[in-house]
Amino acid sequence: MYLKNITSVKKLLLADIFTTRKEDIGTSCELIVEGFAHKQLRLFDISNNALCPDGCLIIGRLFASNPQLKYLWLNHVAFSRDGTEFVSKAISEAQLDLLSLQVNKNRMGEKGHFFGKMLASQKNLKDLVLFQNDLRGESMLENCRGLKQMEKLEVLDISDNFFDDPSFDEFLEVLPRLSALKVLNLSDCNVSPLMTRRLIPVLEKLAPFSQLESFSFNYNEVDEEDLQVFFETLAQFKNLRRLECKVEIEEEQFEDIRAKFEDLGDEDCVLESEDDMDASVQSESEAQRVQREEKEFQDLMLGVVKRANGNVA
C-alpha cells in the first residue's frame, strides 16, 4: 500500500538482500517488479544476489516500466548463459539509454554475444564494467564491436576475460574511438606478447591527445625486447595518475622503467620485477588473490559510485 502512493523513486538499492534465500528469489523478484513498476527509477542496484536465469527473466520486466533508468548495476547475480540472453534482450526491448552499466562476475560465456549486440545501442555510456564474465571467442569479439559508438565512455573494465587475435584486433580498432576514456583495465585478459606488440603503436598515436588517468595491465605478457618501448609509450600519457602493470620485468631493467614514472608514488605506480612476481605467485593463496581482486575492483568503482550519487538526486 505504501509504495502505491509513491509516484517516484530515484534510487533502488537492493544489493545483498536475499543472497542466502534462493528458494524465495522468484517471489522476491516478482514483488520488486510489481512494487516498483512505473516509479521513474534512475538507479537500480541488485548486485550480489543469486538471481540466476529465472530471476533475471523476471527482473528484466522492471526495465520496461522504468525506461528512465540511467544506472544499472547487476554485479555477481549469476546470469549464467541464459540469464545473459534474458537481461540483454530486456535492456534492448526497454530501449534503455544508460550512463553506467556494471555486470561483473556473471559468467556470460558463449551467450555473451547477446550482451555485445545490446551494447551497440548504448551510445551515452560513461561507465562499463565487464570484469570476470568468461568472455572469449565470438562473445569477446561481439563485446568489442559493441564499444564502437561509445565516444563518451570514461571507465572501461574488461579485465579477467579472454582476448584472442580476432577480438584483440577488433579492440585495437575500437580503442582510438574512445576519446573520453579515463580508466582502462585490461588486466588478466590473456594478452600475448605479440598482442602487446600490436598494442604499442596504437597507444603511441593516442598518447598526445588521451585523457587516460588510470591504466591496468596486470598478468598479461610483454616480450622482453618490447618492455622499454611499452613503458616509454605509457610515460607519454600526461594525465596518467595510476599505473598497474604487474608483468615480468628483469631486475636490471626495473629501476630504469620505474624512473619513467617518477611523478607517481608507489601506491599509484604498481610494477613488479621478475623476482617479485615469482615470490608473489608462490606466497599468494587463492583467498588472498580473490581478496586482492575485490579490492582492485572496489577502488575502480569508487569514482563511479561517487558520480552516480552526485547525478541522481
Side-chain angles (χ1 to χ4, degrees):
M1 180 63 71
Y2 175 74
L3 283 174
K4 289 182 179 179
N5 297 325
I6 297 177
T7 59
S8 176
V9 177
K10 297 300 184 185
K11 302 178 186 178
L12 182 55
L13 307 176
L14 302 177
D16 291 299
I17 61 166
F18 46 76
T19 305
T20 59
R21 301 200 302 274
K22 294 183 179 181
E23 67 278 6
D24 297 333
I25 288 174
T27 302
S28 299
C29 290
E30 291 284 1
L31 290 171
I32 291 167
V33 170
E34 179 182 349
F36 292 94
H38 307 290
K39 298 299 185 186
Q40 303 181 56
L41 289 176
R42 298 269 295 173
L43 188 158
F44 178 45
D45 181 7
I46 196 167
S47 299
N48 303 319
N49 293 293
L51 297 184
C52 302
D54 289 346
C56 290
L57 183 61
I58 298 168
I59 284 294
R61 302 198 325 252
L62 189 66
F63 309 160
S65 66
N66 289 276
Q68 306 87 355
L69 263 175
K70 293 297 180 184
Y71 300 84
L72 181 57
W73 298 345
L74 303 167
N75 298 314
H76 205 188
V77 297
F79 281 3
S80 191
R81 276 53 174 166
D82 289 342
T84 300
E85 181 178 354
F86 298 153
V87 168
S88 302
K89 289 182 176 180
I91 293 173
S92 295
E93 290 170 2
Q95 298 183 355
L96 299 186
D97 183 17
L98 297 168
L99 296 178
S100 178
L101 179 56
Q102 302 178 24
V103 291
N104 83 85
K105 290 189 174 182
N106 279 309
R107 301 296 179 185
M108 298 181 186
E110 64 271 13
K111 288 202 172 181
H113 68 277
F114 285 102
F115 198 83
K117 291 181 184 299
M118 176 275 298
L119 286 180
S121 65
Q122 298 298 321
K123 299 180 181 181
N124 291 310
L125 264 184
K126 291 188 176 182
D127 306 298
L128 176 61
V129 179
L130 296 169
F131 166 66
Q132 203 175 91
N133 273 298
D134 193 28
L135 295 172
R136 62 181 77 213
E138 186 65 28
S139 290
M140 188 64 152
L141 179 61
E142 200 62 51
N143 275 270
C144 290
R145 287 173 178 159
L147 303 173
K148 284 184 177 179
Q149 305 300 321
M150 295 187 186
E151 296 180 357
K152 299 178 182 180
L153 192 66
E154 296 180 5
V155 175
L156 175 60
D157 183 351
I158 201 167
S159 60
D160 207 354
N161 289 290
F162 299 87
F163 279 119
D164 56 13
D165 283 323
S167 59
F168 195 70
D169 287 342
E170 183 69 25
F171 178 74
L172 293 182
E173 182 180 331
V174 168
L175 186 56
R177 304 185 186 193
L178 308 181
S179 55
L181 204 60
K182 295 181 179 180
V183 177
L184 176 59
N185 191 344
L186 300 177
S187 292
D188 205 6
C189 273
N190 197 44
V191 179
S192 70
L194 290 178
M195 291 179 189
T196 302
R197 187 170 293 172
R198 300 202 297 276
L199 171 64
I200 291 171
V202 176
L203 293 177
E204 286 178 334
K205 292 180 181 179
L206 293 178
F209 316 102
S210 176
Q211 300 182 48
L212 196 66
E213 297 176 3
S214 176
F215 179 65
S216 299
F217 200 70
N218 297 327
Y219 313 118
N220 292 312
E221 296 185 78
V222 185
D223 196 284
E224 182 180 347
E225 64 184 73
D226 294 324
L227 277 171
Q228 288 292 340
V229 67
F230 178 64
F231 284 104
E232 285 171 1
T233 301
L234 291 175
Q236 295 174 28
F237 285 78
K238 300 306 180 184
N239 293 312
L240 200 64
R241 298 293 176 266
R242 181 166 181 80
L243 174 64
E244 290 192 27
C245 280
K246 294 181 180 179
V247 299
E248 292 190 13
I249 305 173
E250 291 191 4
E251 197 67 39
E252 56 268 24
Q253 294 180 291
F254 183 82
E255 291 301 324
D256 181 47
I257 289 173
R258 179 63 181 90
K260 300 180 191 300
F261 305 95
E262 58 184 0
D263 292 340
L264 301 182
D266 289 340
E267 290 187 359
D268 294 320
C269 183
V270 183
L271 307 175
E272 285 189 331
S273 69
E274 194 171 30
D275 291 343
D276 290 335
M277 288 195 73
D278 290 342
S280 65
V281 168
Q282 292 172 6
S283 63
E284 186 178 48
S285 67
E286 178 65 15
Q288 289 171 324
R289 183 188 69 80
V290 171
Q291 186 178 30
R292 170 179 55 75
E293 288 180 349
E294 287 289 349
K295 184 180 185 304
E296 289 172 356
F297 177 75
Q298 292 301 326
D299 288 345
L300 169 70
M301 295 318 304
L302 182 60
V304 177
V305 174
K306 287 181 177 178
R307 179 158 55 248
N309 285 334
N311 290 342
V312 184

